[in-house]
Amino acid sequence: MTTNTVNEAKRKSANDLFESPDFYQIDDLLTEEHKLIRGSIRDFVKREISPYIEEWCQNAHFPYEIVKKFGEIGAFGPTIPQEYGGGGLDYISYGLIMQEIERGDSGMRSTASVQGSLVMYPIYKFGSEEQRKKYLPKLASGEWLGCFGLTEPDHGSNPGGMVTNFKDMGDHYLLNGAKMWISNSPKADVAVVWAKNEEGRIHGLIVERGMEGFSTPETHGKWSLRASCTGELVFDNVKVPKENLLPAKSGLGAPLMCLDSARYGIAWGAIGAAMDCYDSARRYAKERIQFGKPIGSFQLVQKKLAEMLTEITKAQLLNWKLGKMMDEGKATTPQISMAKRNSVEMALNIAREARQIHGGMGITGEYPMMRHMMNLESVVTYEGTHDIHLLILGADITGIPAFQ
Ligand code: TGC
Ligand code: FAD
């Protein structure tokens, strides 16, 4: 990309005209507080993300300064109680925050959802009171950045097979192994790491940057989530203090509970990416003239736009209901899988169709579709692949797990 093209992309994204569709008056289901929260995050994205995101992605740059800014606007741990620095908000608010941030960029939403759902949530849910007090306020404010280490080089969809392990050495634990594909890892101050003890039981451990034998090499060359940093976690005889073990829950169910919360956030986030693509396509269809008319006057273009709006509206309603069930503590893992899977597939389809409406211009950084599309190729894989979520639903429907 030439400097001129980057500048043009910056100029366009700086002038962020985004308007969200609300075809079924779903705003009527939101409280005034929900709308205020959504508005403030939308303004933040227009001010702090849209003007720069194209350049960050083109240069594969993670803007570390965004961490503190996310802390200031309450994007980290919105559902964690206020006494620990969280927002004390409901799950609809959490969803709306993820939706607005991912409307800006999925990589930015990754930074926020890992910190809230995968780092703060396990410390809050499974941590001791001392751990909560030590870590949560600093993570909520963005003073510290966290990451979540579950996936390993040979164990992605099947985390239960993990080989990362720790031994009880009397006054400390000795941690060995490696994690791969870890969002935030190269810059993280704190890692929540899942590892097996000598009996093969999975536990969560809090590992801090600076512990001897702990390193976080960055993964380069991604075509997706280029504004998010991704890396490994390598543990070479790391001495972890005993007070860093999360005491309240062990077993694979503990990290899977965290994933429920993060997958819920992704279900909303992906709608944000879809809305951004739809909004750009709607605008372009009215402005772009071919054969003497706006391309939006052709039936084939209208079909694309009508189908996009239909799918966004269906996903909005599904997510809103899921949010209510989350607040009531009734949402099940398969219900969350259905929403994550539906939203991401819907967003990917809309990104592709919206790209087509923009013709050749659609492949440039002047418009957001290619960036969203490439980002969504990670979103459809992480937090459980599209097919794993289908199998979670299949197991729920039939009572027969088909994972192996
Ligand atoms: P399975 O036998 O089904 O379950 C093992 C144990 O866990 C219990 N359990 C749960 N407990 C609480 N909440 C849940 N949601 C639970 N789901 C299961 C279950 O009852 C059982 O307990 P027990 O006491 O009987 O042992 O486990 P399985 O090994 O057959 O695996 C099932 C499977 C494949 C669905 C699961 O492992 C899975 O979800 N795999 C996908 C892995 C995944 O999603 N990884 C994500 C890594 S993190 C990430 O991608 C972050 S990206 C973030 C970003 O940048 O935004
Ligand atoms: P595999 O598990 O090897 O799957 C490969 C293919 O096989 C997939 O299509 C899958 O659906 C299919 N497959 C596997 N098992 C079955 C089966 N039983 N039946 C049918 N099909 C099957 N992980 C973390 O722990 N923390 C993070 O912060 C994190 N961030 C990530 C960021 C990015 C950008 C990416 C790309 C990944 C991240 N991940 C993270 C890892 C992510 O969760 C895994 O990539 C994902 O769970 C899939 O694992 P895998 O890549 O090893 O694929």
Side-chain angles (χ1 to χ4, degrees):
M1 212 186 203
T2 64
T3 314
N4 276 350
T5 323
V6 170
N7 287 342
E8 177 64 5
K10 269 171 79 176
R11 190 185 61 73
K12 288 236 176 181
S13 56
N15 189 20
D16 180 348
L17 301 170
F18 175 70
E19 289 167 34
S20 62
D22 183 18
F23 196 64
Y24 261 44
Q25 298 172 16
I26 295 163
D27 272 12
D28 290 352
L29 302 172
L30 304 179
T31 63
E32 285 311 308
E33 189 186 29
H34 291 147
K35 288 183 238 177
L36 270 173
I37 290 167
R38 182 183 60 187
S40 74
I41 304 292
R42 185 168 299 172
D43 290 346
F44 174 86
V45 168
K46 287 190 177 201
R47 198 174 60 245
E48 302 288 348
I49 295 180
S50 298
Y52 314 106
I53 189 62
E54 186 57 33
E55 197 174 1
W56 293 337
C57 285
Q58 291 286 351
N59 296 328
H61 170 68
F62 171 62
Y64 183 75
E65 63 282 3
I66 203 83
V67 176
K68 202 95 185 93
K69 291 178 185 174
F70 274 152
E72 282 162 13
I73 58 161
F76 293 147
T79 60
I80 301 285
Q82 287 177 335
E83 60 177 306
Y84 300 111
L89 299 171
D90 65 5
Y91 272 90
I92 301 282
S93 304
Y94 175 47
L96 288 167
I97 293 171
M98 296 301 114
Q99 172 188 291
E100 293 304 314
I101 296 178
E102 191 148 0
R103 205 278 302 172
D105 188 72
S106 305
M108 295 291 96
R109 195 268 308 135
S110 255
T111 305
S113 60
V114 166
Q115 181 96 333
S117 285
L118 297 180
V119 182
M120 294 174 68
Y121 176 88
I123 294 173
Y124 171 64
K125 207 76 187 165
F126 315 133
S128 65
E129 196 52 29
E130 292 71 34
Q131 290 169 340
R132 289 171 166 187
K133 287 193 174 129
K134 176 174 176 189
Y135 295 103
L136 292 179
K138 287 196 165 72
L139 289 163
S141 67
E143 191 179 330
W144 283 351
L145 181 66
C147 68
F148 175 88
L150 181 65
T151 305
E152 298 188 351
D154 294 329
H155 300 94
S157 297
N158 177 27
M162 71 174 66
V163 293
T164 298
N165 64 87
F166 63 97
K167 288 195 172 87
D168 190 336
M169 307 302 282
D171 62 342
H172 64 270
Y173 298 120
L174 201 62
L175 179 65
N176 278 289
K179 300 287 175 180
M180 192 178 178
W181 292 119
I182 307 305
S183 301
N184 300 349
S185 95
K187 300 279 182 199
D189 303 283
V190 175
V192 169
V193 176
W194 301 94
K196 284 180 177 167
N197 68 9
E198 284 145 291
E199 286 77 50
R201 184 86 182 153
I202 294 171
H203 287 264
L205 296 160
I206 305 172
V207 180
E208 294 183 26
R209 184 169 295 284
M211 287 182 177
E212 207 179 325
F214 174 43
S215 58
T216 59
E218 185 161 359
T219 302
H220 295 286
K222 289 180 301 168
W223 281 109
S224 176
L225 297 183
R226 288 170 63 79
S228 154
C229 60
T230 314
E232 298 167 47
L233 301 174
V234 181
F235 314 105
D236 180 9
N237 286 318
V238 181
K239 284 184 183 175
V240 180
K242 285 203 149 171
E243 64 266 22
N244 283 29
L245 183 111
L246 297 176
K249 189 165 168 69
S250 63
L252 185 59
L256 291 179
M257 275 175 71
C258 308
L259 293 181
D260 279 350
S261 170
R263 290 165 177 173
Y264 168 77
I266 290 176
W268 282 81
I271 292 185
M275 282 178 171
D276 200 38
C277 296
Y278 165 77
D279 189 51
S280 185
R282 181 184 61 85
R283 218 180 293 284
Y284 193 82
K286 292 206 276 188
E287 287 167 3
R288 174 72 176 164
I289 309 291
Q290 285 296 287
F291 299 95
K293 294 176 185 169
I295 57 169
S297 67
F298 303 128
Q299 288 180 352
L300 289 175
V301 173
Q302 290 189 4
K303 175 176 187 285
K304 286 185 171 60
L305 291 169
E307 287 176 352
M308 286 181 204
L309 183 57
T310 306
E311 291 308 315
I312 288 171
T313 304
K314 281 152 66 178
Q316 284 174 316
L317 287 165
L318 192 78
N319 279 5
W320 179 83
K321 176 63 177 143
L322 181 64
K324 283 292 180 200
M325 293 191 290
M326 293 286 286
D327 280 335
E328 292 160 8
K330 288 185 191 162
T332 65
T333 297
Q335 286 166 340
I336 296 168
S337 284
M338 180 185 279
K340 190 262 183 186
R341 189 172 183 278
N342 177 67
S343 286
V344 181
E345 181 170 46
M346 175 277 296
L348 259 172
N349 290 339
I350 287 180
R352 290 179 186 134
E353 292 290 285
R355 209 288 304 152
Q356 290 211 47
I357 287 179
H358 288 74
M361 287 310 294
I363 71 151
T364 72
E366 285 193 37
Y367 295 95
M369 291 78 55
M370 282 296 282
R371 180 170 48 78
H372 283 308
M373 196 190 303
M374 301 304 274
N375 284 341
L376 289 162
E377 288 294 339
S378 285
V379 182
V380 79
T381 288
Y382 68 31
E383 301 272 7
T385 69
H386 204 57
D387 286 346
I388 287 295
H389 288 297
L390 180 129
L391 294 177
I392 290 173
L393 282 165
D396 190 63
I397 294 164
T398 62
I400 310 166
F403 301 109
Q404 43 191 309

